[in-house]
Amino acid sequence: MSGLRAWLADKLPAWIFLALLLSVWEWVVARQWVASYLLPSPRQILHTTLELWPEIAAATLSTAQSIAWGLGLSVICGVTLALLFFAIPLARRAILPFCIFFQTVPIISIAPLLVIWFGFGQPTVKASAFIVSLFPILANTLTGLQETDPHLKELFRLYKPSPWQLVAKLQIPSAIPYILMGVKISAGLAVIGAIVGEFIAGGGLGSLIDAARTQQRVDLVFSGVLMSSALALLLVFFIEVISRILLRGRPYLRKS
C-alpha cells in the first residue's frame, strides 16, 4: 500500500497537469481564440488518429523497427569501441577526438549523403538513428570503465587476475549503470535520428509528418509527433525496466 501511495505521489501531479493543459487547450480552440487549422484541438487530433489509425500504425511500426535497429547497433558498437579505447589508450587518443567531432555534425546535414550511400528507405533511416545514438553509449561506457572503485580493484588483485579477467569480472559489471544511462540518453536521440532520416529518405512517421505538412494537415502532424513521442517514452520505460532488473540486488551499483 505504501508503494502505491509513493507511486501516486510521484506520478499524480504530472497527470493532473496534463489534464489541465488539455482542458485549457480544448477550451481555447473551442472559443476560437486560435484558428483550428493552426492549432487543432486535442479532440480533433484524437479523431484524426482514430480515423487514420491503420496508416499511422504502419508508419509507427516502420519507425520503431528503424529505431530498434539503430539503437541496438549503437549499443554493440559503442560498448565494443569503449572496451577497445579502454584497453588501448593510444587508440583512444587517436580516434576519440574524431568521434567527438563527428557527433557535433548535425544529422540533417549529412542525411542527404546517407541517401546517396544507402538509398531511400529503411537502410538510411537505420543509419541515421545509429549515428546520432552511438556517442552517448560510447562515452558513458568508457567513463564507467575508467571510474571503477579503486578499492574494489585492489581487493580483486589479491586473486591475481589477468587483465581481461579484471575487465570482464569487475570493470564491465561496475560500468553497467553508466552503460544503461548512455542507452537511455541514446534512446531519445535514436528517435530523433530516425525521424530526420525519414524526412529525407521516406517511410515511417517522418514521411507521414512531412506529407501532412505539405497538405496543411496540422492535426495529422500533431498525431505523428505524438506517436513519435510515445515511441520515445515507451523505449525509455523499457530501458528503465531492464535497468531495474539488471541492478536488482546490487544497490551499490545504482547511480542517482
Side-chain angles (χ1 to χ4, degrees):
M1 193 66 178
S2 59
L4 177 61
R5 289 177 179 175
W7 185 86
L8 288 174
D10 183 51
K11 304 298 182 183
L12 194 57
W15 287 105
I16 293 174
F17 175 77
L18 177 62
L20 289 174
L21 178 64
L22 293 176
S23 299
V24 171
W25 182 353
E26 183 76 31
W27 182 72
V28 167
V29 177
R31 300 275 294 186
Q32 298 183 344
W33 289 356
V34 179
S36 61
Y37 63 85
L38 293 178
L39 182 66
S41 67
R43 188 179 303 176
Q44 184 180 352
I45 295 170
L46 177 61
H47 179 267
T48 299
T49 302
L50 295 176
E51 182 182 13
L52 301 176
W53 178 247
E55 180 183 352
I56 294 172
T60 303
L61 181 60
S62 176
T63 301
Q65 290 173 343
S66 298
I67 293 169
W69 273 94
L71 184 61
L73 191 59
S74 291
V75 172
I76 295 171
C77 293
V79 173
T80 302
L81 283 174
L83 288 170
L84 176 66
F85 292 163
F86 180 74
I88 309 175
L90 180 61
R92 180 175 71 248
R93 293 194 296 270
I95 302 175
L96 188 58
F98 294 97
C99 294
I100 297 173
F101 169 77
F102 192 67
Q103 182 68 19
T104 63
V105 179
I107 188 62
I108 191 66
S109 65
I110 63 173
L113 284 175
L114 298 179
V115 174
I116 295 173
W117 293 336
F118 299 105
F120 288 95
Q122 280 200 334
T124 291
V125 179
K126 293 173 183 177
S128 178
F130 164 72
I131 289 171
V132 299
S133 61
L134 174 63
F135 186 75
I137 298 173
L138 168 61
N140 275 45
T141 303
L142 188 58
T143 300
L145 292 170
Q146 292 172 331
E147 294 194 2
T148 304
D149 190 334
H151 297 95
L152 289 177
K153 290 170 67 174
E154 291 299 325
L155 181 63
F156 202 83
R157 285 196 176 100
L158 294 176
Y159 299 94
K160 298 181 180 179
S162 67
W164 282 110
Q165 284 178 322
L166 183 65
V167 171
K169 295 185 177 181
L170 176 63
Q171 291 174 296
I172 291 178
S174 296
I176 287 176
Y178 293 88
I179 297 172
L180 293 171
M181 183 58 65
V183 174
K184 189 180 295 186
I185 295 170
S186 292
L189 295 175
V191 175
I192 295 172
I195 297 296
V196 170
E198 289 170 345
F199 280 148
I200 305 298
L205 289 171
S207 181
L208 179 75
I209 293 170
D210 193 44
R213 175 189 61 82
T214 60
Q215 299 166 11
Q216 296 293 304
R217 289 290 307 275
V218 182
D219 53 345
L220 187 55
V221 171
F222 268 97
S223 181
V225 170
L226 290 175
M227 292 305 296
S228 62
S229 299
L231 277 179
L233 291 173
L234 185 63
L235 191 54
V236 169
F237 174 76
F238 179 68
I239 295 168
E240 183 66 28
V241 170
I242 293 177
S243 301
R244 291 181 180 275
I245 293 173
L246 290 178
L247 300 180
R248 182 180 298 166
R250 295 191 290 177
Y252 55 90
L253 288 182
R254 295 184 184 272
K255 299 293 178 182
S256 57

